[in-house]
């Protein structure tokens, strides 16, 4: 597996194993959010629940964008986080019996788009730095 971060190992970037660990942690947080009933006070408190959804799915989409070198692989893995968010929202409805929260589903998808955009910018920056060095 060729990763985009191997060449930046000594320059302050996270190692591929750390990025993989971070992705697994974000995935576990997303799963926990799907199976744990949410107290009602969190919805009105600065929309913290929605911001958490946005951040988790941004991380889930961002890490594959910078971890893998192949464009097709990175795009497929990052875009696959959107259906995962929908699946987890549906699982939350089935497990907890609460109603489907459209705002959280939109936050999941906006997080995926934000993660893809940030990853794309970082990939472009890395590409042009490599070109300048050669």
């Amino acid at each position: 597996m060729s990763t985009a971060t191997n060449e930046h190992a000594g320059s302050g970037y996270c190692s591929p194993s750390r990025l993989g660990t971070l992705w697994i942690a974000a995935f576990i947080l997303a799963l926990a959010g799907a199976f744990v009933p949410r107290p009602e006070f969190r919805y009105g408190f600065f929309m913290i629940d929605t911001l958490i959804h946005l951040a988790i799915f941004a991380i889930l989409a961002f890490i594959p964008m910078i971890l893998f070198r192949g464009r097709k692989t990175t795009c497929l893995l990052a875009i696959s986080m959107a259906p995962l968010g929908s699946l987890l929202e549906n699982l939350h409805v089935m497990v907890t019996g609460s109603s489907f929260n459209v705002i959280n589903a939109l936050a999941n998808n906006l997080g995926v788009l934000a993660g893809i955009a940030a990853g794309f910018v970082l990939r472009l920056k890395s590409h042009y730095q490599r070109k300048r060095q050669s």
Side-chain angles (χ1 to χ4, degrees):
M1 168 177 73
S2 175
T3 62
T5 56
N6 280 341
E7 63 202 34
H8 303 296
S11 63
Y13 287 93
C14 285
S15 67
S17 62
R18 271 198 181 164
L19 287 173
T21 304
L22 181 62
W23 190 91
I24 290 170
F27 183 73
I28 289 171
L29 282 173
L31 280 176
F35 294 114
V36 174
R38 299 178 187 140
E40 290 301 318
F41 73 88
R42 288 196 308 182
Y43 290 117
F45 188 67
F46 298 115
M47 297 179 59
I48 193 75
D49 183 49
T50 305
L51 295 175
I52 290 170
H53 279 263
L54 187 91
I56 287 174
F57 279 90
I59 291 169
L60 287 173
F62 175 74
I63 290 176
M65 289 293 292
I66 62 170
L67 187 60
F68 298 104
R69 189 173 279 269
R71 279 183 259 159
K72 187 189 292 187
T73 304
T74 60
C75 287
L76 287 175
L77 287 173
I79 289 172
S80 69
M81 295 303 116
L84 176 70
S86 182
L87 173 70
L88 290 178
E89 285 299 319
N90 286 320
L91 281 175
H92 177 74
V93 169
M94 290 171 29
V95 170
T96 63
S98 63
S99 60
F100 186 81
N101 192 336
V102 175
I103 300 293
N104 286 344
L106 286 173
N108 293 348
N109 289 329
L110 285 176
V112 168
L113 289 175
I116 289 172
F120 183 72
V121 167
L122 194 63
R123 283 175 71 95
L124 276 177
K125 180 182 172 195
S126 174
H127 172 75
Y128 285 114
Q129 282 179 349
R130 280 193 313 262
K131 245 185 171 176
R132 210 174 303 147
Q133 290 173 357
S134 345

